[in-house]
Amino acid sequence: MSERKLDVQGIGMTSQRTRDRLVAALRERGISNEKVLEVIRKTPRHLFVDEALASRSYEDVALPIGHGQTISQPFIVARMTELLLASERPLEKVLEVGTGSGYQAAILGALIPKVFTVERIEALFRPTRDLLWALGYRTIRPSLSDGSWGLKHEAPFDAIIVTAAPEEVPPALLEQLAVGAHLVIPTGKQGAMQFLQVITRTTESSYRTETYDPVQFVPFVRQSTA
Ligand code: SAH
């Protein structure tokens, strides 16, 4: 992959108009949270993909970002963000597992005061960390780490979002939810049906699971248990 370029000039009329069209399409597909739609309208998704794919960056599709990974489809980003914001708990501090391109983190960064995001592939982590910094995101804290363990020293979180699909929910993520917090996570086998789930920690020791849209995510990779 060639380097992602900060072509801020490119955020001209054309991309604003294409972004507006994307927002209209998301609205039509059922995204109704105005805050989410507004952030998508303002966030330059084309800067989060390789230049060669920039022209497709406002289509409602997932795109490759190298290393076998993808930037999620805008509808899914919007849907997961909506589900996260639907929490009754005020969102001060959230964790994202699976930084990838940094686009979902940027969306969260515009809505939530403190965003921690972890990525396990160093070759994705480094350029994304630099990009988020260059774009002026100062409240997003990226780290190179295996999200199977969550991010213990920053827990508990007001919400956790996972952007890769495990077959089963990693217990550490459940443990790092504050009471009332949502975990938004796709689960299921690769190649089989996966579903978006919202798991709410209702009390110190109980959780409630709700199942939403069918989805298709790259695998959540677990390091060998140390
Ligand atoms: N949120 C990203 C989606 C990237 S795809 C975006 O907006 O672009 C999912 C990412 O999750 C990949 O980069 C993959 O490397 C990462 N991932 C998978 N398993 C992980 C794990 N156990 N810990 C941290 N990151 C993981």
Side-chain angles (χ1 to χ4, degrees), residues 65 69-72 96-104 118-121 124 145-148 163-164 218-221:
I65 56 171
Q69 308 303 323
T70 55
I71 178 172
S72 308
E96 177 196 28
V97 176
T99 314
S101 70
Y103 179 69
Q104 172 78 69
V118 299
E119 171 57 55
R120 58 176 289 278
I121 299 179
L124 287 171
S145 156
D146 178 2
S148 308
T163 65
V218 295
F220 181 98
V221 179

Side-chain angles (χ1 to χ4, degrees), residues 18-98:
T18 46
R19 275 209 291 280
D20 289 346
R21 267 204 299 275
L22 171 62
V23 166
L26 295 178
R27 209 187 282 280
E28 218 158 280
R29 283 200 65 185
I31 303 298
S32 58
N33 186 312
E34 291 300 328
K35 282 191 198 162
V36 174
L37 291 167
E38 183 56 18
V39 175
I40 290 183
R41 207 180 70 78
K42 285 189 179 150
T43 306
R45 188 170 184 255
H46 66 282
L47 299 181
F48 292 84
V49 298
D50 190 83
E51 256 186 286
L53 291 170
S55 64
R56 301 197 58 201
S57 59
Y58 298 107
E59 293 174 24
D60 191 16
V61 292
L63 294 168
I65 56 171
H67 308 276
Q69 308 303 323
T70 55
I71 178 172
S72 308
Q73 178 194 355
F75 173 74
I76 298 297
V77 171
R79 190 80 180 109
M80 291 178 88
T81 310
E82 220 175 42
L83 291 170
L84 202 80
L85 295 183
S87 167
E88 276 166 32
R89 200 185 160 81
L91 303 183
E92 280 293 317
K93 178 165 142 181
V94 305
L95 171 67
E96 177 196 28
V97 176

